[in-house]
Amino acid sequence: MDFKEYQGKKVLSERFENVALGLVTSNVHDAISYASEVGFPVVIKAQVLIGGRGKAGGVKLAFNKEEAESISSAILGMDIKGHKVEEILVAKAVDIKEEWYMSITFDRANRSMTLIFSVEGGVDIEQVAHDSPEKVLKMPINPLKALEISELEKKLLESGLNKSYVDEVVKIIISSYGMVVDKDLTLLEVNPLVLTEDEEVVILDCKMSVDDTAEFRQSSLFEMNSGDDSSREKIAKKQGFSYVHLEGDVGIIGNGAGLVMATMDAVKNAGGEPANFLDIGGGAKAEVVNNALKLVEGNPKVKSIFINVFGGITRGDEVARGIADVVNESSPRVPIVIRLTGTRAEEGLEILKNETDLSVTDVMDEAAELAVRLRDES
Ligand code: GDP
Ligand code: MN
């Protein structure tokens, strides 16, 4: 599970003093009054689960009340790469001298957690690694040992960190790794970790993810997100689906993760962009199909939907019955293409042809092309 910046920062503030916390709100007036209270300039930041908010115009400084008002109103409701901004974080702006990068995350190739640090932070770390790899410290962490402080100090110096900040940064890294272990985090990224004009080191941004299988022992972390029931991922989880929101406009529904991924590839090959990954799993009774369709249709970007079902244990005619019932009860907002194959597919296709006016086929690429064409027409 991923956390928004302010949630991650709240968790970090259990162990760190210098976290730029501020106020989270969906209300412009609250934003203005908080800004006036802490004093200008303030930074106003979109709270969405996607990086690169700064570049997208979702992070701005406000120097007075008027700016606080216009910036808050502009950012609230903004669409950042398909994520609608419903909350903003308002915090007293920090005077930045340097922006550093720090993260601890899985490196699957090394089968361990890995620390990454760079004095060239604030920007895209992949770019820094590409342009000046010597400025990016990358250190695998042996899970059976504590972090080697002397090695860490040496590597921080080598990566260009000024000697006077090494002790402070080592402390932050050690505490961060402690937090990653204690809280079952799969990612903790602070970009930027800032050196202020007053020579303080401040956590200015945070990306945090917790291992989804750790819910049983990290209940307080998981509860942080429980109020936020509106997200499509949340609704999907409750319905037993696995759903991933994507940037495109062709909605995808399938049974089985492999098939859904192949469906996404087919849509891409046909020149389309998938709007989501949705695996409805085994069994596809009317209710399941109904829930899946509502979920995908509810994404305002979706312009056509491709349902790809392989009948194994799930019978093709049952799936078809489910789809027919659903679309005949409430007509779908966008065109739907269905590809049905496997157990009792023929019977299923018959039902769909006779009882609905949906496009049906048993050929995957054909269905993908049609879904893309219908998207362009709608
Ligand atoms: P991201 O673009 O989603 O990673 O959002 P960040 O929170 O990292 O903010 C992007 C950039 O905005 C940072 O790298 C800073 O350069 C700038 N920024 C954010 N907060 C402040 C602040 O308090 N003061 C100043 N001067 N700049 C800020
Ligand atoms: Mn950032």
Side-chain angles (χ1 to χ4, degrees), residues 35-312:
S36 313
E37 198 182 305
V38 294
F40 292 96
V42 290
V43 65
I44 300 175
K45 309 171 85 176
Q47 296 300 293
V48 280
L49 289 173
I50 189 94
R53 296 165 301 164
K55 272 190 203 156
V59 177
K60 291 239 161 77
L61 291 176
F63 290 87
N64 52 52
K65 273 192 177 183
E66 290 69 37
E67 286 184 8
E69 173 161 18
S70 59
I71 292 171
S72 307
S73 334
I75 294 182
L76 279 166
M78 189 184 257
D79 185 281
I80 301 184
K81 303 179 196 166
H83 296 250
K84 188 158 179 257
V85 181
E86 271 153 10
E87 294 162 311
I88 48 174
L89 174 69
V90 187
K92 187 153 179 54
V94 167
D95 274 332
I96 299 178
K97 191 171 177 187
E98 291 181 25
E99 300 194 32
W100 304 330
Y101 176 98
M102 183 203 75
S103 74
I104 298 172
T105 189
F106 271 124
D107 181 350
R108 289 175 202 277
N110 265 320
R111 293 181 293 282
S112 69
M113 298 302 277
T114 294
L115 163 74
I116 299 175
F117 179 89
S118 178
V119 288
E120 301 269 322
V123 290
D124 187 3
I125 194 68
E126 273 89 20
Q127 197 59 42
V128 183
H130 181 265
D131 298 342
S132 27
E134 72 287 352
K135 286 193 177 147
V136 180
L137 174 170
K138 209 172 163 197
M139 197 168 127
I141 304 172
N142 183 333
L144 302 177
K145 288 190 196 157
L147 273 166
E148 291 255 5
I149 293 182
S150 57
E151 189 197 352
L152 188 54
E153 286 173 346
K154 189 170 141 267
K155 290 207 161 172
L156 284 169
L157 286 169
E158 280 170 10
S159 75
L161 180 66
N162 188 304
K163 197 161 164 274
S164 33
Y165 311 124
V166 168
D167 285 351
E168 176 79 18
V169 171
V170 165
K171 258 197 244 158
I172 291 173
I173 289 171
I174 303 269
S175 299
S176 297
Y177 181 58
M179 190 161 237
V180 165
V181 173
D182 293 347
K183 298 200 179 284
D184 292 307
L185 304 183
T186 53
L187 168 70
L188 172 56
E189 180 187 83
V190 176
N191 186 27
L193 178 65
V194 153
L195 177 68
T196 68
E197 293 290 352
D198 306 332
E199 305 274 305
E200 272 190 289
V201 181
V202 177
I203 291 171
L204 208 65
D205 187 16
C206 169
K207 265 197 204 143
M208 187 182 280
S209 306
V210 61
D211 190 331
D212 284 325
T213 62
E215 185 164 4
F216 72 100
R217 60 181 186 193
Q218 301 294 351
S219 49
S220 64
L221 276 186
F222 282 80
E223 275 158 21
M224 283 177 70
N225 256 346
S226 63
D228 182 16
D229 270 343
S230 56
S231 83
R232 249 173 222 98
E233 274 87 354
K234 277 262 139 119
I235 299 168
K237 202 175 169 198
K238 276 206 193 123
Q239 294 170 343
F241 301 152
S242 74
Y243 177 92
V244 181
H245 190 80
L246 299 165
E247 308 298 323
D249 49 15
V250 179
I252 289 178
I253 299 173
N255 62 339
L259 181 69
V260 178
M261 282 198 270
T263 309
M264 288 165 56
D265 285 347
V267 166
K268 277 246 178 199
N269 287 341
E273 281 297 325
N276 65 276
F277 170 103
L278 173 56
D279 175 10
I280 57 175
K285 295 259 151 61
E287 195 198 343
V288 174
V289 176
N290 192 10
N291 288 341
L293 268 175
K294 290 272 144 58
L295 193 69
V296 173
E297 243 191 340
N299 172 0
K301 285 178 86 179
V302 166
K303 293 202 188 118
S304 70
I305 298 176
F306 180 0
I307 304 179
N308 193 357
V309 173
F310 177 79

